[in-house]
Amino acid sequence: MLTVLGLSVGAVPEASANRADPGAPARPAFDPSLLAAPSPELPDLPKVSIELAQVPVSSPVFDRAAAAYAEVSNQQSTARDARLAIDQARTTESVYGRPLNASRVAALARIAGLTERLDDIERAIADMAVQAFVSGGNTARVAQALTSETPSINETDQRAVLGQLSMDVLLAERAAYRERIASARARADEASDGLAAVSSAGHAALEQRFDALRAEVSSGQQVASERVTYEQARVLATVDGVEFPLVALDAYYRAAESEGAARPGCGVEWWGVAGIAKVEGRHGTYGGATLSPNGDTSRRIIGIQLNGTNTTAVIPDTDNGAFDGDAAYDRAIGPMQFIPSTWRAYEADGNEDGVMSPFNMYDATLAAANYLCTASSGLSADRGLRAAYFSYNHSVEYVENVLGHARGYQRRVDVPERRD
């Protein structure tokens, strides 16, 4: 409510205030750990000041939203753990597969080398047998030399057949190489079987990973959706210890932060703005209005006609009814009850959405903070506040009423001090 010529111009009856019910049952405490997860970039996600992340709030809607959000977050964690376990298994299989493949390659290379040497031995044996045959040796014994796996027990007969050459050495070497080739082939087969098992397990894990990844993505979408619902419920929930929602507290906090940065000597605090918001528009709830997550009021809060009756000043229309719908006389507008002409002088975009509206709590409180800082300084002290409040409404009773509410909010809500 602003004043013109020292007269009240739009007081809202305080009897309609929303008051906390001291007899209401206790609600579950707010769990700040739910805010630890990063907030996804979603268009409908409220952007509450990070400094207010630990401010406790409560409402039945918020409690349900918090429980639902926690449940889908747990589901996402479970799905992610399942997918990570599969990835770990696939990594392990890959680690086992590399040495198996190396063993198989080495075994095949050894088989190739041994086979080449065995072929040389076979040719040497054949050459010696042919020479013995040509020289008139015993045909039966030549055949025995060609097929024997080990040297003949009758070494005298064998040397006679092969012309005193070291056929026994060649035969022994042939047998040894054949044994080595068989051993290498067994190792190669074993490695191949292991690789086949790893490959089969890998294919099965790949199929499982697809299902796990799909579950993870699906749960992630649910988390994103529930996060929006949770954050919207939280911003509309009532701040513990007071009667206004978190979105209103955020508007007051941002307004004080903005003015503190622009005018360090002003010293306005969030609770100083909240005191006026209480008396002027019941924190945006006067007349049954409610606040949305972006600070808009559900209905336009418009005061009585300023036509000189009801102890008001006479203020002819200044906005052609654009804000207050009255083309004859002005009416105080919005949760901070600005006269249209005063709003035009101090209008602000508190929530940085590109629109300056007196019916938005963020915009209205920033404009009010600007107005207070223009009227006075040192607003963290009662003296400065009284001067600023008196400029808002030239009534000592009004000033003391607002100041009482402001100091009460300061005591009951723990909010970080303004940054220097």
Side-chain angles (χ1 to χ4, degrees), residues 147-374:
T147 59
S148 176
E149 295 294 335
T150 57
S152 173
I153 297 176
N154 190 337
E155 293 184 359
T156 302
D157 290 344
Q158 187 181 59
R159 287 190 177 88
V161 172
L162 298 177
Q164 300 298 313
L165 296 177
S166 301
M167 179 60 76
D168 55 342
V169 175
L170 290 175
L171 292 175
E173 193 172 1
R174 181 178 66 180
Y177 271 92
R178 286 177 176 175
E179 183 178 347
R180 293 170 189 169
I181 290 173
S183 177
R185 182 166 288 112
R187 287 197 299 273
D189 291 343
E190 182 180 1
S192 295
D193 291 343
L195 285 172
V198 167
S199 177
S200 177
H203 286 303
L206 187 60
E207 293 178 359
Q208 293 173 359
R209 187 182 191 278
F210 176 78
D211 292 337
L213 184 59
R214 182 169 56 186
E216 183 179 359
V217 171
S218 176
S219 62
Q221 293 171 341
Q222 289 181 309
V223 166
S225 175
E226 291 295 339
R227 182 63 185 267
V228 172
T229 302
Y230 163 77
E231 293 285 13
Q232 288 181 343
R234 179 174 179 266
V235 80
L236 297 179
T238 303
V239 175
D240 287 0
V242 293
E243 73 277 21
F244 52 79
L246 182 63
V247 63
L249 175 60
D250 190 42
Y252 309 147
Y253 183 81
R254 286 198 199 183
E257 287 285 288
S258 179
E259 285 301 305
R263 305 182 189 187
C266 171
V268 66
E269 299 287 353
W270 70 266
W271 43 267
V273 180
I276 291 184
K278 163 67 174 180
V279 175
E280 293 296 343
R282 306 294 181 267
H283 305 291
T285 65
Y286 178 73
T290 57
L291 291 175
S292 67
N294 74 338
D296 286 337
T297 55
S298 61
R299 57 178 295 275
R300 292 191 168 195
I301 299 175
I302 299 177
I304 61 176
Q305 191 179 63
L306 304 178
N307 57 10
T309 63
N310 297 311
T311 70
T312 66
V314 177
I315 305 179
D317 175 68
T318 60
D319 66 333
N320 197 29
F323 289 113
D324 57 16
D326 191 336
Y329 293 93
D330 269 347
R331 296 169 181 258
I333 54 176
M336 301 304 281
Q337 290 290 277
F338 280 98
I339 297 172
S341 59
T342 307
W343 168 255
R344 284 300 189 194
Y346 292 92
E347 61 183 357
D349 183 11
N351 58 357
E352 300 179 344
D353 64 352
V355 177
M356 294 183 289
S357 169
F359 303 104
N360 178 277
M361 183 63 83
Y362 286 99
D363 297 351
T365 52
L366 180 55
N370 188 1
Y371 183 91
L372 294 174
C373 287
T374 300

